[in-house]
Amino acid sequence: MNVDTNILPIINLENISQILLANIPQDDLLGQLIILKGQFILVEREGKESKYKFLSPEAVEKAFTSKTAASGWLSSNTIWWGKNPEGEAIIQFYSPQKYQIQIMGQETEVMTVPMPAFLFAGCGSRYYLWAVKGRVFKPDAQLYKPPLPNVWEDSSICFGGNSLSMCSAATISQVWDLFWKSPFNKDLSQGKSKTHPDNICNQLIKLHESKAKSYPSSDLVPVHSWKVTTPEDIINHLFS
């Protein structure tokens, strides 16, 4: 019969905790923290008397946090910063403007096309892109599919063979520049335009050739995700 000597014995934390508490000298018990729903009570011992103090969750978090969390300098386009188990999560807003893009296989090497406002977001090694109408950011705005190829149905960006930095306040602007400087292909070009549903690239060529001043907002296709349809949803469902 083979016995695996590498298997550690099961530790009963409850029994160990009870033993430790039973053997702690009373003079060493300086206080205790009572956890209620949305509220904490700190019980402190001073001599033979006990004093009670109500604490907020924020005060308790601050007391148990030994290091200050800082995002570093944020770019002017950054509208939200957070942190989750995957790392830093950032959302940026870019107002409507013209971009220079290159689509592989097209005779024209570089095209100048007007684009709607964009929400560009990153978390860990994943990056996302949505279009929004208007020139001013609104947390409850409707999200639309970006009128570009190389963006998946869930709005995550396909960067091909490009290596990406982990999302951070110091690197996200570099990833944004990489996205526009890298040539696009015609992958994932369907369903991004009401007038050109089969291939958004045809719409981009049309805008370039006509020297359009702005992207027609009526051509944008709403995001159909049942969870993420507004910027607030990005925070609550995608980055929570």
Side-chain angles (χ1 to χ4, degrees):
M1 178 179 179
N2 294 328
V3 178
D4 191 342
T5 58
N6 292 322
I7 298 178
L8 295 174
I10 298 176
I11 298 175
N12 191 317
L13 295 179
E14 182 178 354
N15 290 342
I16 292 175
S17 299
Q18 290 176 352
I19 293 171
L20 288 174
L21 289 172
N23 288 278
I24 294 177
Q26 290 299 307
D27 291 341
D28 290 345
L29 287 174
L30 302 179
Q32 57 183 313
L33 188 65
I34 300 174
I35 303 174
L36 304 175
K37 188 174 182 180
Q39 184 70 64
F40 295 82
I41 300 176
L42 176 63
V43 185
E44 296 179 293
R45 174 176 292 182
E46 291 187 6
K48 294 183 180 181
E49 296 183 358
S50 295
K51 292 188 175 181
Y52 300 84
K53 183 187 296 183
F54 285 95
L55 299 175
S56 67
E58 291 77 15
V60 174
E61 179 183 14
K62 184 176 181 180
F64 282 95
T65 302
S66 59
K67 296 178 66 177
T68 299
S71 65
W73 296 113
L74 300 175
S75 73
S76 59
N77 296 103
T78 299
I79 54 176
W80 187 86
W81 179 92
K83 206 167 187 180
N84 63 27
E86 293 186 49
E88 292 184 45
I90 298 174
I91 303 175
Q92 294 188 318
F93 175 79
Y94 290 88
S95 59
Q97 56 189 287
K98 291 184 178 182
Y99 295 86
Q100 289 189 328
I101 67 173
Q102 182 179 359
I103 300 177
M104 292 188 295
Q106 295 298 134
E107 294 182 2
T108 305
E109 290 190 2
V110 178
M111 298 190 300
T112 300
V113 293
M115 287 280 105
F118 284 125
L119 281 183
F120 177 59
C123 182
S125 60
R126 297 174 295 119
Y127 293 87
Y128 302 84
L129 188 66
W130 296 269
V132 291
K133 292 183 179 181
R135 305 189 64 86
V136 179
F137 170 73
K138 297 179 180 179
D140 60 349
Q142 167 69 51
L143 297 179
Y144 295 86
K145 297 181 180 181
L148 290 163
N150 304 143
V151 179
W152 293 95
E153 185 67 23
D154 65 355
S155 295
S156 61
I157 299 173
C158 175
F159 281 92
N162 290 314
S163 58
L164 302 177
S165 303
M166 293 290 287
C167 181
S168 72
T171 61
I172 190 168
S173 294
Q174 299 170 8
V175 178
W176 175 252
D177 290 339
L178 174 66
F179 174 71
W180 291 106
K181 290 178 180 178
S182 302
F184 291 89
N185 58 31
K186 296 183 180 180
D187 292 345
L188 307 173
S189 60
Q190 298 80 23
K192 307 289 183 64
S193 163
K194 290 182 179 178
T195 57
H196 297 78
D198 296 330
N199 192 341
I200 185 59
C201 297
N202 294 333
Q203 170 72 313
L204 302 179
I205 295 169
K206 177 183 175 182
L207 293 172
H208 168 71
E209 293 178 344
S210 64
K211 297 181 180 181
K213 294 183 178 180
S214 61
Y215 193 92
S217 60
S218 60
D219 189 56
L220 294 174
V221 177
V223 168
H224 297 306
S225 169
W226 66 276
K227 279 189 176 181
V228 180
T229 58
T230 70
E232 287 281 6
D233 295 335
I234 300 173
I235 300 171
N236 296 332
H237 297 291
L238 204 58
F239 292 167
S240 61

